[in-house]
């Protein structure tokens, strides 16, 4: 049986690694899945990233129009948005995608901050969409952190070590969704996306096939 995993990338107000990520994916002949906010799509300086995603036929879907925090950090069941405001925000995000010529049959999206609850899942399903997230236990999503965050900061060494520890602990990463941010705060100097190429090479040696999110979740 073919081992598969998906590389997903999110973007909102930062894209310093966008073209770097896309260059690596092209060199390695790998398809990624991108999830961008409406704000990202409307930002002119990010347009080259969006065009490159389209040119290379990567999957692109929504990440909340305004990158809203849907659920309380300290009480995940506590909602910070109304149903109407959630629906409006997500619909605008998908309309921005359509304006740029991306497929209108996208159904998967990643909620902003990768933080949501069952209420958000239910509202999404009513709209015909499916919220997804990275595989629990992975630490790649901490690549946004920087040293001034104290204990919340994870270096790229720590993040990468965590990935291979999970690989060993779980006897592989088949079916995993690995999330990496396309842009991070300037205070973070060790950008994890620079390690993407070597990470892909190592996983290919273990006979993993990289697929877009639709194939993985079929």
């Amino acid at each position: 049986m073919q081992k598969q995993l998906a590389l997903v990338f999110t973007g909102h107000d930062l894209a310093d690694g966008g073209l770097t990520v896309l260059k690596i994916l092209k060199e390695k002949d790998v398809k990624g899945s991108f999830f961008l906010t409406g704000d990202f799509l409307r930002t002119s300086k990010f347009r080259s990233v969006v065009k490159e995603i389209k040119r290379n036929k990567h999957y692109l879907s929504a990440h909340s129009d305004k990158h809203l925090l849907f659920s309380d950090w300290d009480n995940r069941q506590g909602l910070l948005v109304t149903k109407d405001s959630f629906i409006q925000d997500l619909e605008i995000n998908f309309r921005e995608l359509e304006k740029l010529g991306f497929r209108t049959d996208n159904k998967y999206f990643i909620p902003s901050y990768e933080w949501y609850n069952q209420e958000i899942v239910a509202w999404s399903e009513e709209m015909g969409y499916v919220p997804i997230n990275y595989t629990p236990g992975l630490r790649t999503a901490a690549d946004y952190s920087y040293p001034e965050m104290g204990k919340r900061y994870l270096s790229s060494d720590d993040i990468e070590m965590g990935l291979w520890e999970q690989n060993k602990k779980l006897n592989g990463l088949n079916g995993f969704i690995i999330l990496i941010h396309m842009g991070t705060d300037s205070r973070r100097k060790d950008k994890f996306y620079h390690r993407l190429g070597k990470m892909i090479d190592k996983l290919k040696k273990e006979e993993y096939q990289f697929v877009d999110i639709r194939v993985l979740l079929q």
Side-chain angles (χ1 to χ4, degrees):
M1 180 179 176
Q2 178 68 57
K3 297 187 294 184
Q4 296 181 331
L5 51 79
L7 294 173
V8 305
F9 305 89
T10 59
H12 170 49
D13 58 347
L14 299 167
D16 46 278
L19 293 177
T20 298
V21 163
L22 287 159
K23 181 181 178 182
I24 292 169
L25 294 179
K26 187 174 183 178
E27 289 173 349
K28 303 299 180 182
D29 193 25
V30 165
K31 292 300 180 187
S33 301
F34 291 80
F35 299 85
L36 306 177
T37 64
D39 280 348
F40 188 106
L41 298 170
R42 288 185 292 267
T43 301
S44 58
K45 66 180 179 180
F46 298 157
R47 193 53 55 86
S48 60
V49 174
V50 177
K51 285 182 178 178
E52 196 66 15
I53 291 171
K54 188 174 185 180
R55 184 180 297 118
N56 289 285
K57 299 180 180 179
H58 296 291
Y59 179 80
L60 177 58
S61 193
H63 188 45
S64 164
D65 188 62
K66 291 291 184 182
H67 206 245
L68 302 180
L69 181 60
F70 299 140
S71 183
D72 192 290
W73 286 120
D74 298 319
N75 172 22
R76 193 162 189 159
Q77 299 314 309
L79 285 167
L80 299 178
V81 293
T82 64
K83 184 176 183 179
D84 286 346
S85 62
F86 168 77
I87 290 173
Q88 181 181 40
D89 175 79
L90 193 56
E91 285 183 340
I92 291 173
N93 196 173
F94 275 104
R95 283 203 296 271
E96 290 295 333
L97 288 165
E98 290 176 24
K99 285 180 188 177
L100 294 171
F102 289 93
R103 294 170 59 127
T104 58
D105 62 347
N106 291 351
K107 68 175 182 177
Y108 299 112
F109 78 99
I110 295 182
S112 40
Y113 302 101
E114 298 82 55
W115 189 254
Y116 55 101
N117 59 27
Q118 191 57 46
E119 199 89 47
I120 296 298
V121 173
W123 293 347
S124 302
E125 289 178 348
E126 286 179 24
M127 297 172 70
Y129 299 124
V130 179
I132 63 168
N133 211 335
Y134 60 87
T135 302
L138 292 182
R139 305 162 85 185
T140 56
D143 64 346
Y144 75 91
S145 62
Y146 47 88
E148 288 80 356
M149 286 183 167
K151 292 181 179 180
R152 288 169 57 197
Y153 169 67
L154 281 181
S155 70
S156 291
D157 283 342
D158 289 335
I159 291 171
E160 188 172 359
M161 188 184 306
L163 179 71
W164 303 125
E165 285 176 352
Q166 285 291 94
N167 183 45
K168 184 177 180 180
K169 177 182 177 182
L170 300 176
N171 196 29
L173 304 174
N174 188 36
F176 271 48
I177 299 173
I178 301 174
L179 185 147
I180 296 171
H181 292 95
M182 283 197 300
T184 60
D185 193 283
S186 60
R187 286 169 286 187
R188 183 183 184 94
K189 305 304 179 185
D190 63 329
K191 308 289 190 177
F192 185 70
Y193 52 72
H194 286 307
R195 302 190 180 207
L196 179 61
K198 289 184 178 179
M199 184 178 80
I200 289 173
D201 287 342
K202 189 170 181 178
L203 288 166
K204 279 187 172 181
K205 285 182 179 178
E206 296 193 15
E207 300 183 339
Y208 281 96
Q209 178 185 8
F210 295 86
V211 297
D212 85 22
I213 202 68
R214 292 165 297 184
V215 174
L216 190 74
L217 298 179
Q218 278 178 351

